Amino acid sequence: MAEPARRIDRIDTAPRFTAADVARLNARFEGVATQDVIRAVLEEGLLGRVAVVSSFGAESAVLLDLVAAVDPAIPVIFLDTGKMFPETLAYRDTLVARLGLTGIRVVAPEAATIAAKDGTGLRWSYDPDGCCEIRKVLPLAAAMKDFDASITGRKGFQASTRSGIARFELDGDRIKFNPLADWAKADLDRWFEARDLPRHPLEAQGYLSIGCAPCTSVVKPGEDPRAGRWRGWDKVECGIHGEPIVRPGEEPVF
């Protein structure tokens, strides 16, 4: 009796997701209520292995509440850069307990990297892009290696650079899911009130977008909510959700 043909082993090199996948998701969920989109994505496993990326900032409670209603055990990645406000760390703990989140993952930069590239702890003051790279971008990349998609709290109204963002975006070969992309500030406020969610303690002082303490300032009346981030620098993103903006001739020093 002839032996069965040997099955040839192959390494799957296909990307996790493509632009066509993103287009299909955006088309399928156009006009669908946010809560229903989140439930379908998580319960149907549409994005594979998913993690929430949360700063536990001024508006973070809304997204975390929506996700926890479907799956309180979902992994939630929090980047503790070593430069966070004490109020943010306390708020994180408050929300984790309040919402019953059991998948929190606190991610910190590698100590050896910080010692080699920011031994004084002052890199933020002369090279904020480089500081974000070693304290946020690289640690998150390592934390995401086992996941196929991330869920973020990005919203179009936060800054001109985020205007018009889609619910689903291609992020390399991963998908970035922005459930609140089309929410307005009023929508967030209504959700906070309806759900009696605690506010970040710094919000009342005028901090409307809260990141690392040295690079976060009070937002002035009429400014974009993210205007208080990296004030005085030609920089609007940390690099996690888009390339950091660098002035010509001022490439980060690594």
Side-chain angles (χ1 to χ4, degrees), residues 68-140:
V70 179
D71 182 10
I74 190 170
V76 177
I77 297 174
F78 171 71
L79 292 169
D80 187 349
T81 64
K83 298 289 183 182
M84 309 303 290
F85 286 99
E87 291 89 344
T88 295
L89 301 180
Y91 186 57
R92 175 200 63 195
D93 296 342
T94 296
L95 285 182
V96 167
R98 167 68 183 274
L99 301 177
L101 297 168
T102 60
I104 185 73
R105 301 186 181 193
V106 178
V107 176
E110 290 188 356
T113 300
I114 296 301
K117 298 184 176 181
D118 192 15
T120 66
L122 295 174
R123 188 164 187 158
W124 61 268
S125 66
Y126 61 89
D127 179 20
D129 283 324
C131 188
C132 287
E133 178 80 5
I134 61 177
R135 293 181 182 273
K136 298 183 76 172
V137 178
L138 295 178
L140 181 60

Side-chain angles (χ1 to χ4, degrees), residues 48-239:
R49 299 163 298 177
V50 180
V52 178
V53 178
S54 178
S55 66
F56 286 83
E59 300 159 354
S60 297
V62 173
L63 175 64
L64 293 169
D65 184 48
L66 287 163
V67 171
V70 179
D71 182 10
I74 190 170
V76 177
I77 297 174
F78 171 71
L79 292 169
D80 187 349
T81 64
K83 298 289 183 182
M84 309 303 290
F85 286 99
E87 291 89 344
T88 295
L89 301 180
Y91 186 57
R92 175 200 63 195
D93 296 342
T94 296
L95 285 182
V96 167
R98 167 68 183 274
L99 301 177
L101 297 168
T102 60
I104 185 73
R105 301 186 181 193
V106 178
V107 176
E110 290 188 356
T113 300
I114 296 301
K117 298 184 176 181
D118 192 15
T120 66
L122 295 174
R123 188 164 187 158
W124 61 268
S125 66
Y126 61 89
D127 179 20
D129 283 324
C131 188
C132 287
E133 178 80 5
I134 61 177
R135 293 181 182 273
K136 298 183 76 172
V137 178
L138 295 178
L140 181 60
M144 284 295 299
K145 64 181 178 62
D146 294 327
F147 296 101
D148 303 310
S150 61
I151 302 178
T152 88
R154 298 162 75 220
K155 295 161 282 287
F157 78 87
Q158 290 175 314
S160 59
T161 52
R162 295 187 175 185
S163 178
I165 61 172
R167 273 179 168 168
F168 299 92
E169 300 175 306
L170 196 61
D171 182 21
D173 71 342
R174 293 183 173 88
I175 283 182
K176 188 171 299 199
F177 176 28
N178 310 306
L180 307 180
D182 60 350
W183 281 44
K185 182 65 166 61
D187 298 322
L188 296 169
D189 290 339
R190 280 192 292 269
W191 194 270
F192 266 102
E193 183 176 353
R195 297 286 292 165
D196 191 27
L197 295 172
R199 295 276 190 172
H200 193 296
L202 292 178
E203 185 179 4
Q205 299 178 34
Y207 292 89
L208 304 186
S209 179
I210 303 165
C212 294
C215 297
T216 302
S217 60
V218 171
V219 174
K220 302 172 185 177
E223 290 184 320
D224 284 341
R226 288 179 60 82
R229 304 289 291 277
W230 304 287
R231 191 177 293 280
W233 290 89
D234 188 10
K235 174 179 173 66
V236 295
E237 296 283 357
C238 65

